[in-house]
Amino acid sequence: MTLLEVRDLRVTYPGGAAAVRGVDLTLPAGRKLGIAGESGCGKSTLALALLRLLPAGTEVSGRVLLDGEDVLTMRWGRVRAVRWAGASIVFQGAMHSLNPVHRVGDQIAEPVLLHRRASRARARALAGELLERVGLSAARATAYPHQLSGGQRQRVMIAMALACAPRLIVADEPTTALDVMVQAQILRLIEESVTGHDLGLIMISHDLSVLARTCDRLAVMYAGRVVEEGPAGAVHERALHPYAAALSAAFPRVGDPASRFAPRGLPGDPPDPAALPAGCAFHPRCPVAREECATDDIALREAAGSRRAACVLVPGTAGGRPVPGTAGGRPVPGAGRGDRPPDGPPADPSGRTA
Ligand code: ADP
Ligand code: MG
């Protein structure tokens, strides 16, 4: 059963920034999808679009089917109901958005009161249960946010997200502001919170290694598009797209102390979405770019192993090998230029998800 189906989603902000440019994603119920990409690639915009949380005046098109119902066209009353009971978001930096003058137990109970029509006593009791589910004692319900550590506040945010028993949790950079030890605990908590509860998870991070550890599949975004999508381990270890390969090499590998202390940088920045380069948006930074990459718009194409990548060098279903000129998924600058790849099947403009 498909929980979430995103079809040709496009988002343009009032100033003309095309932040999301035709994204297709599929999430079966109970599965975990990671969305990776550097800052500015459109990850948060995508998350906000899923629940129609974008600022007024933003142009949004495409379809966001949650349990078959299109969020983009449903009535506002229905959207409000869906926001808690259908899907809920743990926002980027959310742990700083707890109300400082209210006890955390009351803040968890609030959506329960509003959306589950529970009595105050029942909502309180549920808040206590939720605190225990996220590894805090029910007695912490009386604490104010400033009395909790960053990790504890993030646990409270997760409890709030779970409060109305949603079918989908979207976690946008849930661990970015936390130190490494706490990060690992919060990731485990998010994973446990969805596993076995038939909940879907979309986890967003700039750090592929974090996502690879938690998710079933990964989608890598660049300049508002998915440039690679496939099984988490394969994308992380043997990326097909040079951007995914660079991203994988740029961030610390979990459990690899050497890379933790010397992460390899990814030179340059993603393009300004209001002034995108022609051709493949990654070509100005791509170590294996060829002439046509500066002019041709490259669609996602299917590769072996239930993978998709938007790169002229991806051999399609013929091999699904890493991009020529990348070693173990890491780009080798200068290598691969001029190599002719085996001809893949025609690119699938619908960008179907396997
Ligand atoms: P990410 O979460 O991957 O860092 P975002 O979705 O936050 O990326 O941003 C994608 C692009 O959209 C960025 O270039 C950002 O500057 C732009 N953007 C984000 N929010 C707005 C906004 N409210 N108005 C105009 N541009 C925005
Ligand atoms: Mg973001």
Side-chain angles (χ1 to χ4, degrees):
M1 168 70 187
T2 304
L3 173 61
L4 178 74
E5 217 175 309
V6 175
R7 287 290 164 262
D8 197 27
L9 183 67
R10 291 168 194 272
V11 178
T12 306
Y13 283 110
V20 174
R21 303 185 298 131
V23 165
D24 294 288
L25 293 170
T26 301
L27 181 69
R31 304 311 292 270
K32 298 176 282 237
L33 171 70
I35 300 181
E38 287 163 289
S39 180
C41 284
K43 308 181 300 295
S44 295
T45 302
L46 173 66
L48 294 170
L50 298 181
L51 285 179
R52 278 173 66 183
L53 291 164
L54 290 161
T58 307
E59 276 175 45
V60 183
S61 69
R63 293 201 295 166
V64 174
L65 303 174
L66 190 63
D67 276 324
E69 206 183 344
D70 193 347
V71 176
L72 298 184
T73 55
M74 62 179 57
R75 288 177 296 108
W76 275 109
R78 181 78 191 123
V79 173
R80 276 192 288 273
V82 161
R83 276 185 191 163
W84 284 102
S88 65
I89 298 191
V90 179
F91 288 107
Q92 190 163 358
M95 56 196 209
H96 306 294
S97 71
L98 282 167
N99 191 323
V101 301
H102 290 294
R103 299 177 193 276
V104 296
D106 292 341
Q107 297 190 55
I108 297 170
E110 194 178 294
V112 178
L113 282 169
L114 273 171
H115 297 275
R116 279 188 150 184
R117 293 165 208 258
S119 69
R120 191 158 287 278
R122 175 71 197 119
R124 281 249 162 84
L126 192 68
E129 285 167 27
L130 285 162
L131 283 169
E132 288 185 345
R133 186 164 157 199
V134 299
L136 296 170
S137 95
R140 298 305 270 164
T142 58
Y144 289 94
H146 74 268
Q147 295 172 315
L148 302 177
S149 69
Q152 289 171 332
R153 284 201 297 268
Q154 195 61 302
R155 288 175 189 270
V156 170
M157 295 312 300
I158 295 164
M160 284 176 79
L162 295 170
C164 291
R167 305 254 296 124
L168 169 68
I169 300 262
V170 181
D172 188 356
E173 309 263 8
T175 62
T176 302
L178 302 171
D179 70 55
V180 175
M181 289 305 292
V182 181
Q183 263 189 29
Q185 292 165 7
I186 296 293
L187 286 174
R188 207 172 313 124
L189 169 64
I190 292 176
E191 210 179 333
E192 286 166 5
S193 302
V194 297
T195 309
H197 290 84
D198 207 30
L199 263 171
L201 174 70
I202 291 186
M203 173 111 92
I204 296 173
S205 177
H206 59 277
D207 186 336
L208 261 180
S209 65
V210 159
L211 296 177
R213 207 163 54 149
T214 315
C215 299
D216 308 306
R217 295 182 73 86
L218 294 185
V220 177
M221 280 185 80
Y222 190 76
R225 283 200 181 158
V226 172
V227 295
E228 176 158 355
E229 196 268 337
V235 175
H236 183 227
E237 298 302 328
R238 299 180 305 282
L240 295 171
H241 193 287
Y243 177 64
L247 197 66
S248 174
F251 291 99
R253 270 153 206 277
V254 172
D256 175 358
S259 71
R260 181 175 306 154
F261 296 115
R264 284 211 246 166
L266 184 57
D269 292 299
D272 174 355
L276 293 166
C280 169
F282 185 59
H283 89 263
R285 298 170 76 190
C286 182
V288 294
R290 300 187 307 176
E291 216 168 278
E292 67 260 40
C293 301
T295 50
D296 295 1
D297 199 4
I298 293 119
L300 274 175
R301 52 181 80 183
E302 309 258 342
S306 143
R307 308 178 67 173
R308 300 183 298 157
C311 177
V312 288
L313 296 173
V314 170
T317 43
R321 288 163 298 179
V323 178
T326 70
R330 293 174 188 232
V332 180
R337 268 176 218 276
D339 286 351
R340 275 233 77 84
D343 288 329
D348 178 3
S350 72
R352 230 159 10 89
T353 305

